Amino acid sequence: RSYRRSKAVLYGGPGPHSLLSKLKLKNTLFLPMLHDISFFKPQTVENKFNDKFVIFHPANLEWRLKGNEIFIKGFAEFVKKFPNSLLIIVDRGIDSQKSHDLVNRLAINENVLFLNGQLNSSELLYYYNLSDVVADDFVINEIGGIGREALSCEKPLITLYDELGYQKLFGEACPALNASSVSEIVHKLEFLQDKKTRIKIGKAGRDWIIKHSSPSVFSHKLSIIYDSIIGKKPLDEIRILLSEI
């Protein structure tokens, strides 16, 4: 009832759009999530692993929601061909022990580093910039907070996301590498072995975040929404105004 009686319902991605569509609401407006690009950004950091291909996996270890085991298995296959690789995992979540057990069972201990506990923002920023690739989750089908932070730091992102849904809402797909299976993860990691490819994809990711989710773009769009609703403009006209930014 609150949704139906609102002047407008704002949503930020394909997931909410799908749910709101099932309610057959006509008063929805798309407003991409705000992301602070001034903190999470490319930086040169001291790299004690500069002789290795480093993959950073900071997602919470909760297999049902994140699919961490899919990525760990994919990395185990990948490292057979590229043994000079290191997977850095943030050790937090209900499936922490299961993740340790899986790493042991796959015999990839020497290629995996577990970081204790939840990292603060500064630590995350350091490891994003230290890494060659960032891996997020493989279940939720959205670009989440970790994904946006990785893109802001110009790092290639491997995750599962609704590519077609993003294409429809944003007018272009997110330049993340889509994967949902062990074989797809292996393929994407092999593709990212080339440094020039990583740099190109990384820059495209930051450009995409700035274009769609920077504070200046967000505040501009929000101002248009407020002014238009106060001015009693039709929602179709507001949608056109937003699409022109």
PDB file of all heavy atoms in Angstrom, residues 7 107 193 229 235 239 241:
ATOM      1  N   LYS A   7       4.270   8.963  -4.397  1.00  0.00           N
ATOM      2  CA  LYS A   7       4.399   9.728  -5.639  1.00  0.00           C
ATOM      3  C   LYS A   7       5.391   9.029  -6.570  1.00  0.00           C
ATOM      4  O   LYS A   7       5.233   9.041  -7.798  1.00  0.00           O
ATOM      5  CB  LYS A   7       4.892  11.146  -5.339  1.00  0.00           C
ATOM      6  CG  LYS A   7       3.932  11.992  -4.524  1.00  0.00           C
ATOM      7  CD  LYS A   7       2.665  12.309  -5.300  1.00  0.00           C
ATOM      8  CE  LYS A   7       1.773  13.240  -4.483  1.00  0.00           C
ATOM      9  NZ  LYS A   7       0.512  13.538  -5.203  1.00  0.00           N
ATOM     10  N   ALA A 107      44.111 -29.167  -1.832  1.00  0.00           N
ATOM     11  CA  ALA A 107      45.573 -29.091  -1.750  1.00  0.00           C
ATOM     12  C   ALA A 107      46.128 -27.824  -2.413  1.00  0.00           C
ATOM     13  O   ALA A 107      47.116 -27.872  -3.170  1.00  0.00           O
ATOM     14  CB  ALA A 107      46.202 -30.337  -2.367  1.00  0.00           C
ATOM     15  N   GLN A 193      45.011 -12.958 -17.556  1.00  0.00           N
ATOM     16  CA  GLN A 193      46.455 -13.100 -17.409  1.00  0.00           C
ATOM     17  C   GLN A 193      47.199 -11.974 -18.125  1.00  0.00           C
ATOM     18  O   GLN A 193      48.293 -11.593 -17.727  1.00  0.00           O
ATOM     19  CB  GLN A 193      46.918 -14.450 -17.964  1.00  0.00           C
ATOM     20  CG  GLN A 193      46.668 -15.619 -17.036  1.00  0.00           C
ATOM     21  CD  GLN A 193      47.556 -15.554 -15.806  1.00  0.00           C
ATOM     22  OE1 GLN A 193      48.769 -15.697 -15.884  1.00  0.00           O
ATOM     23  NE2 GLN A 193      46.956 -15.325 -14.655  1.00  0.00           N
ATOM     24  N   ILE A 229       8.593  16.168  -9.105  1.00  0.00           N
ATOM     25  CA  ILE A 229       7.428  15.706  -8.341  1.00  0.00           C
ATOM     26  C   ILE A 229       6.724  16.894  -7.687  1.00  0.00           C
ATOM     27  O   ILE A 229       5.487  16.978  -7.685  1.00  0.00           O
ATOM     28  CB  ILE A 229       7.860  14.659  -7.303  1.00  0.00           C
ATOM     29  CG1 ILE A 229       8.234  13.350  -8.016  1.00  0.00           C
ATOM     30  CG2 ILE A 229       6.730  14.398  -6.293  1.00  0.00           C
ATOM     31  CD1 ILE A 229       8.751  12.277  -7.107  1.00  0.00           C
ATOM     32  N   LEU A 235       5.286  11.047 -14.541  1.00  0.00           N
ATOM     33  CA  LEU A 235       6.458  10.177 -14.349  1.00  0.00           C
ATOM     34  C   LEU A 235       7.164   9.870 -15.661  1.00  0.00           C
ATOM     35  O   LEU A 235       8.384   9.743 -15.698  1.00  0.00           O
ATOM     36  CB  LEU A 235       6.034   8.889 -13.656  1.00  0.00           C
ATOM     37  CG  LEU A 235       5.707   9.003 -12.162  1.00  0.00           C
ATOM     38  CD1 LEU A 235       5.283   7.656 -11.616  1.00  0.00           C
ATOM     39  CD2 LEU A 235       6.894   9.531 -11.383  1.00  0.00           C
ATOM     40  N   ARG A 239      11.124  10.321 -16.327  1.00  0.00           N
ATOM     41  CA  ARG A 239      11.999   9.248 -16.824  1.00  0.00           C
ATOM     42  C   ARG A 239      12.830   9.736 -18.000  1.00  0.00           C
ATOM     43  O   ARG A 239      14.011   9.389 -18.136  1.00  0.00           O
ATOM     44  CB  ARG A 239      11.160   8.032 -17.211  1.00  0.00           C
ATOM     45  CG  ARG A 239      10.500   7.330 -16.037  1.00  0.00           C
ATOM     46  CD  ARG A 239       9.831   6.032 -16.460  1.00  0.00           C
ATOM     47  NE  ARG A 239       9.133   5.434 -15.336  1.00  0.00           N
ATOM     48  CZ  ARG A 239       7.813   5.484 -15.169  1.00  0.00           C
ATOM     49  NH1 ARG A 239       7.049   6.090 -16.084  1.00  0.00           N
ATOM     50  NH2 ARG A 239       7.245   4.935 -14.117  1.00  0.00           N
ATOM     51  N   LEU A 241      13.750  12.853 -18.599  1.00  0.00           N
ATOM     52  CA  LEU A 241      14.747  13.784 -18.069  1.00  0.00           C
ATOM     53  C   LEU A 241      15.934  13.032 -17.467  1.00  0.00           C
ATOM     54  O   LEU A 241      17.091  13.407 -17.656  1.00  0.00           O
ATOM     55  CB  LEU A 241      14.107  14.699 -17.017  1.00  0.00           C
ATOM     56  CG  LEU A 241      13.092  15.722 -17.515  1.00  0.00           C
ATOM     57  CD1 LEU A 241      12.412  16.411 -16.337  1.00  0.00           C
ATOM     58  CD2 LEU A 241      13.783  16.756 -18.405  1.00  0.00           C
TER      59      LEU A 241
END
